[in-house]
Coordinates of all heavy atoms in Angstrom, one line a residue:
T365 N -17.5 23.5 7.1 CA -18.7 24.0 6.5 C -18.7 25.5 6.2 O -17.9 26.2 6.9 CB -19.9 23.7 7.6 OG1 -21.0 24.4 7.2 CG2 -19.5 24.2 9.0
D366 N -19.6 25.9 5.3 CA -19.7 27.3 5.0 C -20.4 28.1 6.2 O -20.3 29.3 6.3 CB -20.4 27.6 3.7 CG -21.9 27.1 3.7 OD1 -22.3 26.4 4.7 OD2 -22.6 27.4 2.7
E367 N -21.0 27.3 7.1 CA -21.7 28.0 8.2 C -20.8 28.8 9.1 O -21.3 29.6 9.9 CB -22.6 27.0 8.9 CG -23.5 26.3 8.0 CD -24.6 25.4 8.6 OE1 -25.0 25.7 9.8 OE2 -25.1 24.5 8.0
V368 N -19.5 28.5 9.1 CA -18.6 29.2 9.9 C -18.5 30.7 9.6 O -18.2 31.6 10.4 CB -17.1 28.7 9.9 CG1 -17.0 27.2 10.3 CG2 -16.5 28.8 8.4
Y369 N -18.9 31.0 8.3 CA -18.8 32.4 7.9 C -20.0 33.2 8.3 O -20.1 34.4 8.1 CB -18.8 32.5 6.3 CG -17.5 31.8 5.7 CD1 -17.7 30.8 4.8 CD2 -16.3 32.2 6.1 CE1 -16.6 30.2 4.2 CE2 -15.1 31.6 5.5 CZ -15.3 30.6 4.6 OH -14.2 30.0 4.0
G370 N -21.1 32.6 8.9 CA -22.2 33.3 9.4 C -23.3 33.4 8.4 O -23.6 32.4 7.7
S371 N -24.0 34.5 8.3 CA -25.2 34.6 7.5 C -25.1 35.8 6.6 O -24.7 36.9 7.0 CB -26.4 34.8 8.5 OG -27.6 34.9 7.7
L372 N -25.5 35.6 5.3 CA -25.4 36.6 4.3 C -26.8 37.4 4.2 O -27.8 36.8 4.5 CB -25.1 36.1 2.9 CG -23.7 35.5 2.7 CD1 -23.7 34.6 1.5 CD2 -22.7 36.6 2.6
G373 N -26.7 38.6 3.8 CA -27.9 39.4 3.4 C -28.2 39.0 1.9 O -27.8 37.9 1.4
E374 N -29.0 39.9 1.2 CA -29.4 39.6 -0.2 C -28.2 39.5 -1.1 O -28.2 38.8 -2.1 CB -30.4 40.6 -0.7 CG -31.7 40.3 -0.2 CD -32.7 41.4 -0.5 OE1 -32.5 42.1 -1.4 OE2 -33.7 41.5 0.3
E375 N -27.1 40.3 -0.8 CA -26.0 40.3 -1.8 C -24.8 39.6 -1.2 O -24.7 39.3 0.0 CB -25.5 41.8 -1.9 CG -26.6 42.7 -2.5 CD -26.9 42.4 -3.9 OE1 -25.9 42.1 -4.7 OE2 -28.1 42.3 -4.3
G376 N -23.8 39.3 -2.1 CA -22.5 38.8 -1.7 C -22.5 37.3 -1.6 O -23.5 36.6 -1.6
M377 N -21.2 36.8 -1.5 CA -21.0 35.3 -1.4 C -19.8 35.1 -0.4 O -19.0 36.0 -0.2 CB -20.6 34.7 -2.7 CG -21.7 34.8 -3.8 SD -21.2 34.1 -5.3 CE -22.3 32.7 -5.4
F378 N -19.8 33.9 0.2 CA -18.6 33.6 1.1 C -17.4 33.3 0.2 O -17.4 32.5 -0.7 CB -18.9 32.4 1.9 CG -20.1 32.5 2.8 CD1 -21.0 31.5 2.9 CD2 -20.2 33.6 3.7 CE1 -22.1 31.5 3.8 CE2 -21.3 33.7 4.6 CZ -22.2 32.6 4.7
L379 N -16.3 34.1 0.6 CA -15.0 33.8 0.0 C -14.2 33.1 1.1 O -14.5 33.2 2.3 CB -14.3 35.1 -0.4 CG -14.9 35.8 -1.6 CD1 -14.5 37.2 -1.7 CD2 -14.5 35.0 -2.9
E380 N -13.0 32.6 0.7 CA -12.1 31.9 1.7 C -11.6 33.0 2.7 O -11.2 32.6 3.8 CB -10.9 31.3 1.0 CG -11.2 30.0 0.2 CD -11.8 30.2 -1.2 OE1 -12.1 31.4 -1.6 OE2 -12.1 29.2 -1.8
T381 N -11.7 34.3 2.3 CA -11.2 35.3 3.2 C -12.3 36.0 4.0 O -12.0 36.9 4.8 CB -10.5 36.4 2.3 OG1 -11.4 36.7 1.3 CG2 -9.2 36.0 1.7
T382 N -13.5 35.5 3.8 CA -14.6 36.1 4.6 C -14.3 35.9 6.1 O -14.0 34.7 6.5 CB -15.9 35.4 4.2 OG1 -16.2 35.7 2.8 CG2 -17.1 36.0 5.0
P383 N -14.5 36.9 7.0 CA -14.2 36.7 8.4 C -15.2 35.7 9.0 O -16.4 35.7 8.6 CB -14.4 38.1 9.0 CG -14.4 39.0 7.9 CD -14.8 38.3 6.6
Y384 N -14.8 34.9 10.0 CA -15.7 34.0 10.6 C -16.7 34.7 11.5 O -16.3 35.7 12.2 CB -14.8 33.0 11.5 CG -14.3 31.8 10.7 CD1 -13.9 32.0 9.4 CD2 -14.0 30.6 11.4 CE1 -13.4 30.9 8.7 CE2 -13.5 29.5 10.7 CZ -13.2 29.7 9.3 OH -12.7 28.6 8.6
D385 N -17.9 34.2 11.5 CA -19.0 34.8 12.3 C -20.1 33.8 12.6 O -21.2 34.0 12.2 CB -19.6 36.0 11.4 CG -20.6 36.8 12.2 OD1 -20.7 36.7 13.5 OD2 -21.5 37.4 11.6
P386 N -19.7 32.7 13.2 CA -20.6 31.6 13.4 C -21.7 32.0 14.4 O -21.5 32.8 15.3 CB -19.8 30.5 14.0 CG -18.6 31.2 14.7 CD -18.4 32.4 13.9
R387 N -22.9 31.5 14.2 CA -24.1 31.9 14.9 C -24.8 30.8 15.7 O -25.6 31.1 16.6 CB -25.2 32.5 13.9 CG -24.7 33.5 12.9 CD -24.4 34.8 13.6 NE -24.1 35.8 12.6 CZ -25.0 36.7 12.2 NH1 -26.2 36.7 12.7 NH2 -24.7 37.7 11.4
S388 N -24.6 29.6 15.4 CA -25.2 28.5 16.1 C -24.1 27.7 16.9 O -23.0 27.8 16.5 CB -25.9 27.5 15.1 OG -25.0 26.8 14.4
P389 N -24.5 26.9 17.9 CA -23.5 26.1 18.6 C -22.8 25.2 17.6 O -21.6 25.0 17.7 CB -24.3 25.4 19.6 CG -25.5 26.3 19.9 CD -25.9 26.9 18.6
Y390 N -23.6 24.7 16.6 CA -22.9 23.8 15.6 C -21.8 24.6 14.8 O -20.7 24.2 14.8 CB -23.9 23.3 14.6 CG -23.3 22.7 13.3 CD1 -22.5 21.6 13.3 CD2 -23.5 23.3 12.1 CE1 -21.9 21.1 12.2 CE2 -23.0 22.9 10.9 CZ -22.1 21.7 11.0 OH -21.5 21.3 9.8
S391 N -22.2 25.8 14.3 CA -21.2 26.5 13.4 C -20.1 27.0 14.3 O -18.9 27.1 13.8 CB -21.8 27.6 12.6 OG -22.6 28.4 13.4
A392 N -20.4 27.4 15.5 CA -19.3 27.9 16.4 C -18.3 26.7 16.7 O -17.1 27.0 16.8 CB -19.9 28.4 17.7
S393 N -18.8 25.5 16.9 CA -17.9 24.4 17.2 C -17.1 24.1 16.0 O -15.9 23.7 16.1 CB -18.7 23.2 17.7 OG -19.5 22.6 16.7
K394 N -17.7 24.2 14.8 CA -16.9 23.9 13.6 C -15.8 25.0 13.4 O -14.7 24.8 13.0 CB -17.8 23.8 12.3 CG -18.7 22.6 12.3 CD -17.9 21.3 12.2 CE -17.2 21.1 10.9 NZ -16.7 19.7 10.8
A395 N -16.2 26.3 13.6 CA -15.3 27.4 13.5 C -14.1 27.2 14.5 O -12.9 27.3 14.1 CB -16.0 28.7 13.8
S396 N -14.4 26.7 15.7 CA -13.3 26.5 16.7 C -12.4 25.4 16.2 O -11.2 25.5 16.3 CB -13.9 26.0 18.0 OG -14.8 26.8 18.5
S397 N -13.0 24.4 15.6 CA -12.1 23.3 15.1 C -11.2 23.8 13.9 O -10.1 23.4 13.8 CB -12.9 22.0 14.7 OG -13.8 22.3 13.7
D398 N -11.8 24.6 13.1 CA -11.0 25.2 12.0 C -9.8 26.0 12.5 O -8.7 25.9 12.0 CB -11.8 26.2 11.1 CG -12.9 25.5 10.3 OD1 -13.2 24.3 10.5 OD2 -13.5 26.2 9.4
H399 N -10.1 26.8 13.6 CA -9.0 27.6 14.2 C -7.9 26.7 14.8 O -6.8 27.0 14.6 CB -9.6 28.5 15.3 CG -10.5 29.6 14.8 ND1 -10.1 30.4 13.6 CD2 -11.6 30.2 15.2 CE1 -11.1 31.3 13.4 NE2 -12.0 31.2 14.4
L400 N -8.4 25.6 15.4 CA -7.3 24.7 16.0 C -6.5 24.1 14.9 O -5.2 24.1 15.0 CB -8.0 23.6 16.8 CG -8.5 24.0 18.2 CD1 -9.4 22.8 18.7 CD2 -7.3 24.2 19.1
V401 N -7.1 23.7 13.8 CA -6.3 23.1 12.7 C -5.3 24.1 12.2 O -4.1 23.8 12.0 CB -7.3 22.6 11.6 CG1 -6.5 22.1 10.4 CG2 -8.2 21.5 12.1
R402 N -5.7 25.4 12.0 CA -4.8 26.4 11.5 C -3.7 26.7 12.5 O -2.5 26.9 12.2 CB -5.5 27.7 11.1 CG -6.3 27.5 9.9 CD -6.8 28.9 9.3 NE -7.7 28.6 8.2 CZ -9.0 28.5 8.2 NH1 -9.6 28.8 9.3 NH2 -9.7 28.2 7.2
A403 N -4.1 26.7 13.8 CA -3.1 27.0 14.8 C -2.0 25.9 14.9 O -0.8 26.2 15.1 CB -3.8 27.0 16.2
Y404 N -2.4 24.6 14.6 CA -1.4 23.5 14.6 C -0.5 23.7 13.4 O 0.7 23.2 13.5 CB -2.1 22.1 14.7 CG -2.4 21.7 16.1 CD1 -3.3 22.4 16.9 CD2 -1.8 20.6 16.7 CE1 -3.5 22.1 18.2 CE2 -2.0 20.2 18.0 CZ -2.9 20.9 18.8 OH -3.2 20.6 20.0
H405 N -1.0 24.2 12.4 CA -0.1 24.5 11.2 C 0.9 25.6 11.6 O 2.1 25.5 11.5 CB -0.8 24.9 10.0 CG 0.1 25.4 8.9 ND1 0.9 24.5 8.2 CD2 0.4 26.6 8.5 CE1 1.6 25.2 7.3 NE2 1.3 26.5 7.5
H406 N 0.4 26.7 12.1 CA 1.2 27.9 12.4 C 2.2 27.6 13.5 O 3.4 28.0 13.5 CB 0.4 29.1 12.7 CG -0.3 29.6 11.4 ND1 0.4 30.2 10.4 CD2 -1.6 29.6 11.1 CE1 -0.5 30.5 9.4 NE2 -1.7 30.2 9.8
T407 N 1.8 26.9 14.5 CA 2.6 26.7 15.7 C 3.6 25.5 15.5 O 4.7 25.6 15.9 CB 1.7 26.4 16.9 OG1 0.7 27.4 17.0 CG2 2.5 26.5 18.2
Y408 N 3.1 24.4 15.0 CA 3.9 23.2 15.0 C 4.3 22.8 13.6 O 5.0 21.8 13.4 CB 3.1 22.0 15.6 CG 2.6 22.3 17.0 CD1 1.2 22.4 17.2 CD2 3.5 22.5 18.1 CE1 0.7 22.7 18.5 CE2 3.0 22.8 19.3 CZ 1.6 22.9 19.5 OH 1.1 23.1 20.8

Side-chain angles (χ1 to χ4, degrees):
T365 167
D366 62 352
E367 303 191 24
V368 299
Y369 298 122
S371 180
L372 291 165
E374 279 172 25
E375 300 292 317
M377 297 180 113
F378 296 135
L379 289 161
E380 287 80 359
T381 49
T382 301
Y384 277 29
D385 184 21
R387 311 290 189 97
S388 73
Y390 164 64
S391 54
S393 67
K394 290 297 291 187
S396 304
S397 62
D398 292 11
H399 290 318
L400 279 170
V401 173
R402 288 195 185 95
Y404 273 62
H405 171 73
H406 289 292
T407 310
Y408 307 113

